[in-house]
Amino acid sequence: MAANPDRERLLAVASEVLDGVSGRFVAGHGAPRSVDKGRNDFATDLDLELERRISGELAERTGIAVHGEEFGGPSASSGTVWLLDPIDGTVNYSAGLPTAGILLSLVEDGEPVLGLTWMPLIGHRFSAVVDGPLLFNGEPRKRLEPQRLEDHMIAVGSFDVDSRGRVPGRTRLSVITELSRRVARLRMHGSTGIDLAYTASGALGGAVVFGHHPWDNAAGVALVRAAGGIATDFEGRPWRIGSGSVLAAAPGIHDEISDILRSVRTESRSEGESQ
């Protein structure tokens, strides 16, 4: 498929903007909790500072509005909008762990068309226009080939077994239990962006994301698709803004994890009916 010059230009501009704030991201590592957002969720002053700075520069240089995790913005389900998470993995970042990054995507009518995941603390930068290729630190990577689940590590989202959210804790536990019987290893990094970026690179075979926030998911979905992977919700529908979950994986592995998710959903429904 031919390259889209406008998207390539926007990717270059976005990369420059994220490079420009990377030093500040590193300098602020360990920033304390400052804004309570709910149970076990918070932001730091640096989240707010970076979102203001990145959003301002992007809007000025591209003329496209930004929807950020901290300050919101225009709807991402229609039109063209940047989606920004200034610090993905804030709990990790505040605690002094390196598993945190900046997530940025461009969304057109609900579909992510380019994505960037910057990890300044370890010097890893993933970017792509959705048609590919995946770029790692500016260099193209090979496309993902069909793989087997048993040969790979799979990342899973964190969970509270007693939670009653969109994907209840007990259901999450069932998914993790069944996956553990089939995979080489399970990994829980506490950063959706990192899980999806390393799925795109092939370091992970796949990522099971229980969360639905678009600023967490859109950039990684674009990266996975650019790399030749598959990104859907748990029901197998192509991921887009409004999807309630993400299953992203290399070809082959995606089908195997889909079967596990289908089995868990069937079992959960049966248990509900019998009660």
Side-chain angles (χ1 to χ4, degrees):
M1 188 176 294
N4 184 312
D6 192 52
R7 291 179 183 173
E8 297 285 352
R9 178 187 66 81
L10 290 171
L11 186 67
V13 170
S15 298
E16 290 176 5
V17 171
L18 296 193
D19 282 344
V21 302
S22 290
R24 183 70 184 106
F25 188 99
V26 173
H29 192 212
R33 178 184 193 129
S34 62
V35 180
D36 285 317
K37 298 168 61 177
R39 185 170 178 266
N40 296 324
D41 190 18
F42 63 88
T44 70
D45 285 342
L46 198 68
D47 287 86
L48 309 182
E49 175 189 330
L50 290 176
E51 184 163 320
R52 288 190 186 101
R53 180 173 167 183
I54 294 168
S55 296
E57 291 187 21
L58 283 172
E60 181 180 352
R61 296 185 61 179
T62 69
I64 298 171
V66 181
H67 184 115
E69 176 179 3
E70 309 305 334
F71 296 112
S75 170
S77 60
S78 62
T80 300
V81 116
W82 292 105
L83 267 177
L84 170 65
D85 186 345
I87 304 180
D88 181 55
T90 300
V91 175
N92 293 347
Y93 183 85
S94 183
L97 294 172
T99 43
I102 308 170
L103 311 182
L104 179 64
S105 60
L106 186 70
V107 178
E108 295 180 357
D109 294 325
E111 299 285 348
V113 297
L114 62 85
L116 304 93
T117 297
W118 254 230
M119 306 174 199
L121 295 167
I122 57 175
H124 287 187
R125 297 174 296 132
F126 295 90
S127 60
V129 172
V130 74
D131 297 329
L134 174 70
L135 303 177
F136 174 66
N137 289 349
E139 297 296 323
R141 303 274 298 199
K142 288 184 179 178
R143 286 179 67 81
L144 297 173
E145 297 182 355
Q147 306 286 337
R148 298 187 308 170
L149 180 59
E150 66 187 42
D151 296 329
H152 288 272
M153 294 184 290
I154 301 298
V156 295
S158 57
F159 75 104
D160 172 357
V161 73
D162 292 324
S163 69
R164 297 178 178 275
R166 289 175 178 233
V167 184
R170 295 289 172 180
T171 301
R172 299 184 188 203
L173 180 59
S174 295
V175 171
I176 291 170
T177 300
E178 293 307 311
L179 277 171
S180 72
R181 297 187 169 116
R182 300 269 300 274
V183 303
R185 291 287 189 278
L186 286 175
R187 292 291 181 260
M188 189 178 292
H189 299 113
S191 166
T192 297
I194 284 177
D195 291 345
L196 292 172
Y198 286 124
T199 295
S201 76
L204 296 169
V208 177
V209 180
F210 300 118
H212 67 281
H213 294 305
W215 50 79
D216 287 333
N217 298 333
V221 165
L223 296 178
V224 168
R225 289 173 175 168
I230 302 166
T232 67
D233 64 14
F234 287 179
E235 284 71 42
R237 297 179 293 251
W239 189 91
R240 58 175 287 114
I241 300 300
S243 295
S245 54
V246 186
L247 169 57
I253 293 176
H254 187 278
D255 287 343
E256 292 189 70
I257 299 178
S258 290
D259 288 343
I260 290 172
L261 292 172
R262 191 177 302 112
S263 174
V264 167
R265 289 199 306 274
T266 300
E267 181 179 339
S268 296
R269 283 195 296 267
S270 297
E271 289 178 352
E273 291 169 359
S274 65
Q275 291 176 355

